[in-house]
Amino acid sequence: MASSGSFSSGAGLTTLNRSSQPRLAVGCRVREGEDGVGALLLPEGVLRLKGTAIDILRLCDGRRTYAEILAEMQGRYQSADPKQMEQEIESFLNRLQQRRVIDF
Amino acid sequence: MATPPLALIAELTHRCPLHCVYCSNPLQLRTNSEELPTGVWTQVLEQAAKLGMFHVHLTGGEPLARSDLNSLVSVAHSLQLYTNLITSGIGMNEKKLASLLAAGLDHLQLSFQDAEESSADRVAGVPVHARKVALANLIHECKNLAFTVNLVVHRHNLDRLDSMILFAESLGPQRIEIANVQYYGWALKNREWLLPTREQVQRSVVIVERAQERLKGQVKIDFVTPDYYASFPKPCMGGWGRQLMLVDPSGMVLPCHAAAVIPGIDFENVREKPLSWIWEESASFRRFRGEDWMPEPCRSCDRRALDFGGCRCQAFLITGDAAATDPVCSLAPTRKLIDERLARANSVTNPGYRSAPAPESADPWTYRSQPA
Ligand code: SF4
Ligand code: SF4
């Protein structure tokens, strides 16, 4: 079994909860592009992200909690169904965590 | 106009302290005196950033053999390029690592030949495994450096894949890349020794899937499957001249690692032409871009936008025609050339069936040489 060392990059806790403080993992960064299209740079390549995806990632600063990020996004997009939005953000963050793009 | 390239592969040097039998460097290695000076590499990085590239992959040979590696990382970083160092680790020490980090290195990929010291050293041709493990521990302590462990797999280590994954995991990376040997350069020369059996391949797929499940959210595992056993080819480099540019140690600009073997194409050199011109205008980058060059069955195949007809270099190396359908494709008229190889690989009469060649055997494998 891997020594505790394996997970010292902060990935030990793998379930997202309201007090999680998501942040970009080491080796991942957002590069702002023109016209609101950002690029998420990863060790193995680049993901082009639009609008809300980039907004969410900018909020993943390691200080804000997941609850705060949700509130912020729901505040910005008041016409969206908050339940549905929560589901979408949760699955987005979980997917990125599994790709080792963010840590909780 | 062509959409801009995503990344630059900077093959800084062909010098390397290792002699891996699966090395995909060309057989014609660039010599020391052919290498580009720092000033030209700096211009290349500037041109890459201007073209809109995101990543620069610093590789070789062993990039640590270049004494100006640190300043090149620093230039790339100041241009907002994502810097990735692909290394065997030999030539690294604590001080160099610290200065690379300070220069802005984003990610380091360290390759291992095996989990077992004697087998690893036999494949590398030099006793380096223990030093690499020590280095991995140093890297793991750098909290702000992303770390990938790369394992190259083939006939002589696939049976230990389980323990190799555990070994890689114990080094504490965020990612593990398990890459089957691709048959170019020295690897193609040693194909007889390296090509795995069907049974090994099938077992490895299950082992990797299990490890991916077990390490979900902890370590990301990427798996490069062996294309000889696939029904369709890989979309090599995301297509010729579609995503990547490679600059070799002498400044020759190629669409991939192996393309220099294709006869009849004049590849440009960064000493003479800027990258943007080479990307957009050069005959070499346009040669197999798009679909006009495609033969049947690719031309009317639904998969042509997915795999672009496969790898041009593999087509040339195996069929003698760079414009042929990649022979690994099950629809290719030349697929039998691959099947013959697989039949040999799966035959118990193959001399390499069970073991790697003994060090003094009459018919040894060929170690990658050093540039003159
Ligand atoms: S594969 Fe081995 S010999 Fe070839 S460049 Fe890499 S470390 Fe050197
Ligand atoms: S025929 Fe050509 S395009 Fe179709 S799958 Fe094979 S290589 Fe790809």
Side-chain angles (χ1 to χ4, degrees):
Chain A
M1 183 52 215
S3 65
S4 57
S6 290
F7 310 128
S8 63
S9 49
L13 190 65
T14 57
T15 43
L16 182 65
N17 63 52
R18 297 241 155 204
S19 55
S20 307
Q21 294 167 298
R23 63 191 171 283
L24 275 176
V26 62
C28 303
R29 54 189 166 92
V30 172
R31 205 168 105 176
E32 311 286 336
E34 295 108 56
D35 49 10
V37 183
L40 176 58
L41 306 187
L42 311 174
E44 69 272 34
V46 45
L47 288 175
R48 284 177 210 275
L49 297 174
K50 291 206 189 99
T52 44
I54 281 284
D55 288 349
I56 296 167
L57 279 179
R58 277 202 206 94
L59 295 173
C60 293
D61 56 8
R63 288 195 313 272
R64 285 186 176 84
T65 62
Y66 175 50
E68 285 164 346
I69 293 172
L70 272 182
E72 174 77 34
M73 290 299 289
Q74 285 163 347
R76 282 190 211 176
Y77 298 90
Q78 297 198 356
S79 58
D81 171 18
K83 261 243 103 50
Q84 195 191 339
M85 188 165 206
E86 173 165 1
Q87 274 168 13
E88 280 170 17
I89 295 180
E90 186 181 343
S91 88
F92 176 65
L93 292 179
N94 277 322
R95 270 201 321 273
L96 290 183
Q97 195 278 333
Q98 280 172 18
R99 289 192 64 165
R100 296 305 324 266
V101 172
I102 58 171
D103 289 334
F104 300 146
Chain B
M1 214 169 72
T3 45
L6 296 176
L8 175 74
I9 302 169
E11 225 172 64
L12 297 178
T13 177
H14 280 159
R15 287 172 286 146
C16 183
L18 277 64
H19 303 272
C20 306
V21 290
Y22 56 64
C23 185
S24 61
N25 278 158
L27 300 176
Q28 277 301 341
L29 295 165
R30 296 291 183 189
T31 63
N32 208 340
S33 60
E34 286 177 282
E35 286 185 17
L36 296 178
T38 312
V40 178
W41 275 119
T42 303
Q43 283 168 15
V44 168
L45 293 170
E46 285 162 1
Q47 293 171 6
K50 220 167 139 204
L51 249 175
M53 294 198 216
F54 294 106
H55 284 67
V56 54
H57 303 287
L58 301 156
T59 181
E62 175 48 67
L64 288 163
R66 285 281 302 209
S67 56
D68 55 359
L69 180 61
N70 217 71
S71 52
L72 296 178
V73 168
S74 161
V75 169
H77 182 72
S78 69
L79 294 162
Q80 289 205 59
L81 289 164
Y82 186 106
T83 53
N84 176 17
L85 179 64
I86 300 172
T87 176
S88 74
I90 301 304
M92 185 73 97
N93 58 39
E94 208 167 343
K95 218 174 119 212
K96 275 197 196 167
L97 185 58
S99 59
L100 283 167
L101 268 175
L105 185 66
D106 288 292
H107 176 257
L108 186 148
Q109 176 182 307
L110 182 63
S111 61
F112 280 90
Q113 282 69 23
D114 207 311
E116 254 176 35
E117 183 167 3
S118 60
S119 318
D121 290 346
R122 182 107 76 86
V123 166
V126 270
V128 288
H129 183 74
R131 269 193 282 161
K132 290 154 71 86
V133 175
L135 175 70
N137 290 326
L138 273 182
I139 295 168
H140 176 54
E141 277 160 28
C142 298
K143 294 302 168 224
N144 44 359
L145 179 64
F147 177 29
T148 294
V149 171
N150 164 270
L151 303 170
V152 180
V153 293
H154 46 78
R155 172 188 290 268
H156 299 295
N157 62 12
L158 265 174
D159 290 339
R160 288 189 293 279
L161 185 56
D162 253 323
S163 61
M164 285 172 70
I165 294 174
L166 287 176
F167 163 76
E169 220 182 305
S170 75
L171 302 174
Q174 286 85 40
R175 292 170 68 243
I176 298 174
E177 182 181 273
I178 301 166
N180 271 276
V181 168
Q182 310 241 22
Y183 297 100
Y184 303 98
W186 301 85
L188 182 62
K189 225 175 156 52
N190 291 312
R191 181 173 55 174
E192 192 84 347
W193 291 107
L194 297 171
L195 197 59
T197 65
R198 184 175 310 274
E199 196 200 334
Q200 285 183 311
V201 172
Q202 285 166 348
R203 239 183 304 128
S204 69
V205 172
V206 179
I207 291 171
V208 171
E209 278 169 6
R210 273 199 220 122
Q212 282 168 332
E213 192 51 39
R214 183 170 58 82
L215 295 172
K216 210 170 181 172
Q218 293 168 350
V219 184
K220 181 170 180 281
I221 302 184
D222 290 324
F223 187 37
V224 180
T225 53
D227 61 354
Y228 277 41
Y229 282 97
S231 308
F232 298 111
K234 56 186 181 285
C236 196
M237 307 309 258
W240 179 283
R242 284 176 192 251
Q243 297 190 347
L244 299 162
M245 295 185 100
L246 178 144
V247 177
D248 94 346
S250 74
M252 187 190 254
V253 189
L254 302 167
C256 70
H257 297 86
V261 296
I262 301 176
I265 301 182
D266 285 325
F267 290 105
E268 314 289 337
N269 194 292
V270 292
R271 293 181 194 256
E272 277 131 35
K273 289 277 185 352
L275 286 185
S276 57
W277 185 88
I278 298 172
W279 182 255
E280 282 153 21
E281 308 289 340
S282 73
S284 55
F285 271 75
R286 293 155 72 126
R287 177 67 184 86
F288 297 111
R289 190 182 267 155
E291 297 178 351
D292 290 347
W293 62 272
M294 283 185 183
E296 289 296 354
C298 301
R299 187 172 272 280
S300 50
C301 176
D302 286 345
R303 292 184 57 89
R304 68 184 188 279
L306 299 176
D307 63 31
F308 318 107
C311 172
R312 298 303 86 229
C313 307
Q314 183 147 275
F316 170 72
L317 289 167
I318 293 179
T319 74
D321 176 8
T325 296
D326 188 328
V328 306
C329 180
S330 51
L331 304 172
T334 52
R335 171 69 207 193
K336 60 177 185 306
L337 297 174
I338 298 290
D339 289 334
E340 282 163 13
R341 285 289 156 183
L342 293 185
R344 288 168 77 118
N346 287 283
S347 146
V348 284
T349 57
N350 178 339
Y353 189 72
R354 292 201 196 288
S355 54
E360 296 87 27
S361 73
D363 179 23
W365 52 21
T366 309
Y367 283 106
R368 175 206 194 268
S369 65
Q370 274 299 308

